[in-house]
Amino acid sequence: MLRRINFYSICFAFGVSVLLILAGSRYTDNVSYRPSTENRRNTRNFLKVEDEEDMYQSVPTNVYDGSPNIEKILEKTRAKIKQAFVKYNFSYSGVHKLEDLLMEAGGQPLRSIIISTWRSGTTFLGEVLDAMPGNFYHYEPLLKYEIIQIRGPPLADQALSTIKSMLRCNYDNLQDYFQYGKTHLYQFSHNTRLWDHCKYNKELCFDANFTERFCKLFPFQSMKVVRLRLRLVEELLEDKELKAKIILLIRDPRGVLQSRQHRDFCQPSPDCWEPQLLCADMISDYVAAARLLKQFPNKLMVLRYEELALQPNRTTHDLLKFLGLGPMPSINEFLHTHTNTYVDGVSSTFRISRAVPFRWREVLDFHFVENIQSACREAMALWGYQPAHNATHMTSKHFTVLQNYTIEV
Ligand SMILES: *[C@@H]1O[C@H](CO)[C@@H](O)[C@H](O)[C@H]1NC(C)=O
Ligand SMILES: *[C@@H]1O[C@H](CO)[C@@H](O)[C@H](O)[C@H]1NC(C)=O
Ligand SMILES: *[C@@H]1O[C@H](CO)[C@@H](O)[C@H](O)[C@H]1NC(C)=O
Ligand SMILES: *[C@@H]1O[C@H](CO)[C@@H](O)[C@H](O)[C@H]1NC(C)=O
Ligand SMILES: *[C@@H]1O[C@H](CO)[C@@H](O)[C@H](O)[C@H]1NC(C)=O
């Protein structure tokens, strides 16, 4: 009996290896990106609103090709990107051809920056944008500051200078960044296209010269920042060469704080744990948004996480339009696999996605919520979040949390 089981398990293992070898060779033979395969392999649901502090390591999008040779990596990446854009209509992006978006060829990429705070849905939004082929995801350039909010000098200048250098793929003076990354690899792992290569040879992750050359191959560059308040980004928007667009992502403070309850990194830090500070930041972001929308109407988009969760498809398409991107099948595929809004035409698991942003209503104690609501009255009114009147009301289906809001510019 035992022998027979052994025999079958050996056969099974052999079969699996053959399949893996076949799949692997098929994979490396093809030089175009395979967004749909990438996304299916990434089975996490956006139920989990993860942030970097979860140390989640992305699944590589390409199988290691065994080549430590930098020139070869660059050459292959260049070819892949070219292939992925054979059919793309560049007039959506305001240019004529791919080279116009490549720094390596003297062009300027389309750059986008998500400005938000911890546990506000940035991981999901970041991955949506990273599902575009040809995207280089700078992830969070300010990780080394750990759990603080930057609201002004002296740190703001340093932080902005780091952000600008990275958006220009200039890593020369970013030793601190690489040093921090040596003990916090998730700084690199979210940048899936870089991680594909450097996860097998970590020295590459810390190599400024390689990172610079690799970065300059990509027509789209995205970044998320959860440690810098919106009012400080004006100089990024003013920089005409940078052509950066900004997405401000806001979330209900009750949802944010419920989610942060379960994060060890958060509680020791008042910037992360005090409702007063979170909501003062939300007010400051609102005031800054009004001013910046007036000054740069086409360069800032404001988004509530709840809207993204309730209507991922519509919101994402508005977002792509704002960013100057044409239809992206790989993004549709990502939404399909990560939100399951439609399964055979039935909105079966949509229910789950809808519930995520409002889970705080079921799990939070009303006293905790009351405390947040009294600290956040103004922030919540500005951003269209209704208070719950009592414990019964909080869980009642008659309680409509979201309200329309406007930003007077
Ligand atoms: C790679 O895959 C794409 C579709 O995913 C296909 O059109 C193309 O012909 C393939 N190229 C090679 C070299 O197999
Ligand atoms: C590309 O898109 C523009 C609109 O953005 C359209 O006018 C043009 O015809 C398209 N070109 C091709 C080749 O499809
Ligand atoms: C990277 O290193 C190579 C070889 O040492 C050198 O030729 C090149 O100029 C460097 N590139 C950058 C961007 O520093
Ligand atoms: C998603 O939105 C796009 C554009 O608004 C639309 O064409 C498409 O049919 C939508 N898909 C689903 C599954 O709703
Ligand atoms: C709770 O709030 C609702 C809505 O304002 C109200 O109708 C209800 O009477 C309140 N219940 C209690 C026990 O105060």
Side-chain angles (χ1 to χ4, degrees):
M1 185 63 186
L2 201 59
R3 247 189 220 157
R4 180 175 281 182
I5 289 173
N6 268 337
F7 175 71
Y8 284 129
S9 48
I10 288 166
C11 286
F12 179 70
F14 179 74
V16 167
S17 327
V18 168
L19 280 178
L20 281 177
I21 290 165
L22 284 176
S25 59
R26 222 181 110 242
Y27 212 74
T28 43
D29 278 347
N30 197 314
V31 291
S32 66
Y33 276 127
R34 293 172 159 266
S36 60
T37 324
E38 287 175 26
N39 295 332
R40 260 187 225 109
R41 285 208 282 158
N42 186 347
T43 53
R44 293 180 324 120
N45 191 288
F46 101 96
L47 241 177
K48 302 187 189 115
V49 192
E50 305 207 31
D51 267 340
E52 70 272 5
E53 286 77 12
D54 289 322
M55 302 203 170
Y56 151 68
Q57 309 231 321
S58 303
V59 178
T61 53
N62 292 296
V63 172
Y64 183 47
D65 61 7
S67 162
N69 182 322
I70 288 179
E71 298 307 324
K72 219 165 170 177
I73 292 174
L74 295 174
E75 198 180 299
K76 280 194 157 184
T77 305
R78 203 176 283 127
K80 266 181 194 171
I81 291 172
K82 206 171 167 146
Q83 171 79 27
F85 287 95
V86 166
K87 291 192 185 132
Y88 184 71
N89 182 345
F90 285 95
S91 68
Y92 284 110
S93 305
V95 298
H96 299 298
K97 54 187 189 308
L98 179 62
E99 287 70 25
D100 298 337
L101 299 175
L102 304 182
M103 290 182 85
E104 187 189 54
Q108 287 294 338
L110 293 191
R111 299 176 171 99
S112 54
I113 310 171
I114 301 167
I115 297 283
S116 192
T117 182
W118 305 282
R119 314 300 298 173
S120 298
T122 54
T123 301
F124 178 67
L125 184 57
E127 288 186 1
V128 169
L129 296 183
D130 199 40
M132 305 188 269
N135 186 62
F136 187 85
Y137 187 12
H138 291 275
Y139 198 55
E140 165 62 275
L142 309 179
L143 274 185
K144 67 166 182 179
Y145 293 97
E146 306 215 307
I147 310 303
I148 58 159
Q149 281 300 329
I150 298 173
R151 304 186 176 94
L155 293 182
D157 289 347
Q158 254 184 49
L160 284 167
S161 141
T162 299
I163 289 173
K164 280 200 271 189
S165 290
M166 282 178 63
L167 288 174
R168 294 202 157 87
C169 302
N170 178 359
Y171 289 83
D172 273 352
N173 294 312
L174 300 182
Q175 290 88 349
D176 284 1
Y177 168 78
F178 290 109
Q179 199 57 38
Y180 190 83
K182 284 182 185 173
T183 48
H184 301 83
L185 284 174
Y186 58 90
Q187 179 173 277
F188 308 107
S189 67
H190 289 266
N191 185 342
T192 49
R193 295 180 181 86
L194 175 72
W195 188 242
D196 282 345
H197 299 287
C198 77
K199 81 182 287 231
Y200 300 102
N201 176 8
K202 303 288 188 315
E203 287 308 308
L204 279 184
C205 299
F206 320 135
D207 181 335
N209 184 308
F210 169 71
T211 310
E212 170 166 348
R213 296 180 67 197
F214 189 73
C215 173
K216 287 184 169 173
L217 302 176
F218 289 83
F220 304 126
Q221 312 247 337
S222 65
M223 179 183 275
K224 84 156 180 177
V225 179
V226 297
R227 292 166 171 79
L228 184 80
R229 298 327 319 144
L230 186 70
R231 62 190 201 80
L232 301 171
V233 305
E234 187 167 344
E235 66 174 273
L236 299 176
L237 293 173
E238 270 168 354
D239 193 322
K240 290 211 171 63
E241 191 195 71
L242 219 45
K243 287 198 295 189
K245 295 204 177 188
I246 291 186
I247 303 146
L248 173 67
L249 183 65
I250 292 288
R251 184 180 180 188
D252 188 322
R254 295 163 294 189
V256 171
L257 288 165
Q258 183 258 318
S259 183
R260 289 182 186 174
Q261 271 190 325
H262 309 290
R263 293 295 171 281
D264 297 342
F265 70 83
C266 194
Q267 295 209 16
S269 162
D271 277 350
C272 194
W273 192 238
E274 290 288 338
Q276 286 83 354
L277 292 174
L278 168 65
C279 288
D281 286 341
M282 287 177 71
I283 295 170
S284 151
D285 285 349
Y286 182 92
V287 174
R291 178 169 55 84
L292 295 174
L293 281 170
K294 188 171 181 184
Q295 238 175 312
F296 308 97
N298 304 316
K299 287 184 154 191
L300 173 66
M301 179 168 170
V302 173
L303 201 60
R304 289 186 300 186
Y305 165 65
E306 292 79 8
E307 283 158 338
L308 183 62
L310 292 174
Q311 299 188 304
N313 189 43
R314 212 182 103 190
T315 313
T316 302
H317 284 88
D318 291 348
L319 189 62
L320 295 186
K321 208 165 163 192
F322 161 73
L323 294 175
L325 297 164
M328 293 267 168
S330 56
I331 290 195
N332 290 338
E333 175 78 24
F334 179 90
L335 292 177
H336 184 70
T337 51
H338 285 72
T339 62
N340 293 323
T341 43
Y342 275 84
V343 176
D344 299 326
V346 181
S347 56
S348 58
T349 47
F350 192 44
R351 198 167 39 82
I352 298 173
S353 297
R354 286 179 78 90
V356 174
F358 305 110
R359 199 167 39 203
W360 61 267
R361 293 171 55 186
E362 271 90 59
V363 301
L364 286 184
D365 178 73
F366 183 66
H367 292 298
F368 187 82
V369 170
E370 234 179 347
N371 183 34
I372 298 171
Q373 290 180 166
S374 76
C376 295
R377 199 180 313 274
E378 188 184 351
M380 284 172 54
L382 290 172
W383 288 110
Y385 296 114
Q386 294 276 40
H389 298 144
N390 52 49
T392 322
H393 184 227
M394 179 167 86
T395 54
S396 147
K397 63 178 191 296
H398 301 297
F399 172 33
T400 311
V401 177
L402 285 186
Q403 206 183 17
N404 287 337
Y405 73 100
T406 50
I407 298 182
E408 305 282 343
V409 296

